[in-house]
Amino acid sequence: MRQDHLISATQLSRADIEAVLDRAAEIDADPSAWQGRHDGSILGLCFFEPSTRTRMSFDTAMKRLGGRTIDMGAVESSSVKKGETLADTMRVLEGYADALVLRHPSEGSAKMATEFVDVPLVNAGDGAGQHPTQTLLDLYTMRQNAGLDDVTVGIMGDLKYGRTVHSLASALTNFDIRQHFISPESLRLPRSVRYDLHESGAQVREHTGLGEVLGELDILYVTRIQRERFPDENEYLKVAGEYQISAEDLSAAKDSLTIMHPLPRVDEIASDVDETDHAKYFQQAHNGVPVRMALLDMLLSEEEAQ
Amino acid sequence: MSDTDRELRVSKIRNGTVIDHLAAGQALNVLALLGIDGSGGEGVSVGMNVPSDKLAKKDIVKVEDRELSQSEVDVLSVISPEATINIVREYEVIEKKRIERPEYVEDVLSCPNRNCITNAEEPIRTRFMVLDDGLRCDYCGEIVREDEVPSRLDVS
Ligand SMILES: [Zn+2]
């Protein structure tokens, strides 16, 4: 990978993505071979909003590479609460670590942070913006189950605020993939994401109901629709059922359909789906560690080579 | 006598800038862009919906003792690509600039995405990439269509 930072899935070429996924597969095949590869390296975990899973996944990945992590702790007790800018905080933390992971509630925060630090920085979610490492593990899971070429993918749920969806949609344009977006009218993809898809010439269609496309799909990527996104509770109740799936709803699906979800889920995938061969979301969650190991290994190796 | 002669005669300026061939309706946006509301005492004349050969109708703005910064010219190119900028010294047009669309405009627009990091108290300037029909925040990716640009002018 040529970049020093990973900020957005839009910066990733097909070759970049394949390099990370190939490295992740090597790691998966023989994890012990990677132990100690980055002895003495320190990864700074800068989480300005809570995300236990993503933080633990990076923490585990770094430790499996032999490195260590430092954590700025809860935002409530830090200097951030006292009004320090993100720019200042990042400039200070840069001095402590060989690479930084940033999770922040504002869109564009990771991009801004790269203007103030020289060590590699990974965006672990910026508001409703991007979440590129989630995308890499999503792609890894897709490649394991359905491949990444000549594939039909449905992405369903809250497409407006779902940063995992925004990152994934743009990354998929690197491959021969037909994308179907399924959501209530009010939670359609934002203009900026539709613009990118259009520019890339991607094959994209939008739907309001899963039934219109279920039978064609090789992969169904489900995200949660948050009740609080609807100004009117009745509006939510009207659409909610449309975007929840149970084992019974899947009778029209291909036998080989892969169902994914970035987790945590609430009620959008009924637990009886877990027992079917379609369910791959726990495998997807496990993939977070080897994929993040691969990415950190590449960023830190580049850093050490300089 | 051409249109331009007649206009210049109405309110000739000694030194300053004449922004001509503005799309009709853009004059007030240009004043906003330049941060001119009259309170600074500048000499300003504005023509709106003036007949023009080039455009059916155009606006024109003349400002005494004021030159435009590059980022002001850049934004002007987005809201009114046909505009021309004439620099006047001692009542003569000494330079006629055609404006070009830049790749980026910096520090003159605010991002409409309220959750964008550029709207937080951080030590950064806004930066928008210029698209064919609008602008795009370089930080959060939000798109501002051409017709929305005037309302995003950051005239603090
Ligand atoms: Zn923005």
Side-chain angles (χ1 to χ4, degrees), chain A residues 85-87 91 104-109 111-112 115-116 127 191-193 195-196, chain B residues 113 115-117 121-124 127 131 136 138-145 148:
Chain A
T85 62
L86 173 62
R91 277 187 280 208
H104 193 277
S106 296
E107 284 100 71
S109 51
K111 167 90 188 233
M112 185 202 80
E115 295 175 9
F116 294 91
R191 183 156 85 186
S192 60
V193 177
Y195 177 88
D196 282 337
Chain B
N113 173 5
N115 202 36
C116 176
I117 194 72
E121 297 292 315
E122 295 290 338
I124 46 167
R127 185 168 61 234
L131 311 173
R136 179 171 222 184
D138 205 33
Y139 288 91
C140 75
E142 183 87 355
I143 289 175
V144 183
R145 277 198 312 254
E148 299 162 331

Side-chain angles (χ1 to χ4, degrees), chain A residues 104-174:
Chain A
H104 193 277
S106 296
E107 284 100 71
S109 51
K111 167 90 188 233
M112 185 202 80
T114 62
E115 295 175 9
F116 294 91
V117 303
D118 287 323
V119 300
L121 186 138
V122 178
N123 183 4
D126 60 334
Q130 287 269 326
H131 194 0
T133 63
Q134 176 71 43
T135 294
L136 288 167
L137 73 91
D138 292 342
L139 293 171
Y140 186 67
T141 311
M142 287 182 182
R143 192 169 81 166
Q144 285 177 323
N145 289 286
L148 287 172
D149 281 308
D150 191 19
V151 173
T152 303
V153 176
I155 303 180
M156 180 170 84
D158 177 355
L159 309 182
K160 185 174 184 183
Y161 300 99
R163 59 188 163 207
T164 61
V165 171
H166 305 163
S167 285
L168 182 60
S170 68
L172 289 176
T173 63
N174 287 295

Side-chain angles (χ1 to χ4, degrees), chain B residues 7-72:
Chain B
E7 284 148 26
L8 286 174
R9 204 152 295 174
V10 172
S11 55
K12 254 192 160 177
I13 59 174
R14 179 169 184 162
N15 292 305
T17 306
V18 177
I19 305 161
D20 201 357
H21 302 111
L22 285 166
Q26 291 294 354
L28 294 179
N29 291 328
V30 169
L31 292 180
L33 166 65
L34 301 182
I36 292 172
D37 61 4
S39 63
E42 314 90 335
V44 179
S45 7
V46 176
M48 295 175 81
N49 296 312
V50 178
S52 159
D53 295 338
K54 201 168 162 193
L55 312 162
K57 278 181 179 170
K58 65 174 183 179
D59 284 5
I60 182 164
V61 172
K62 302 174 191 180
V63 193
E64 298 262 13
D65 300 319
R66 174 79 145 81
E67 292 198 7
L68 305 193
S69 71
Q70 190 56 49
S71 44
E72 288 166 340

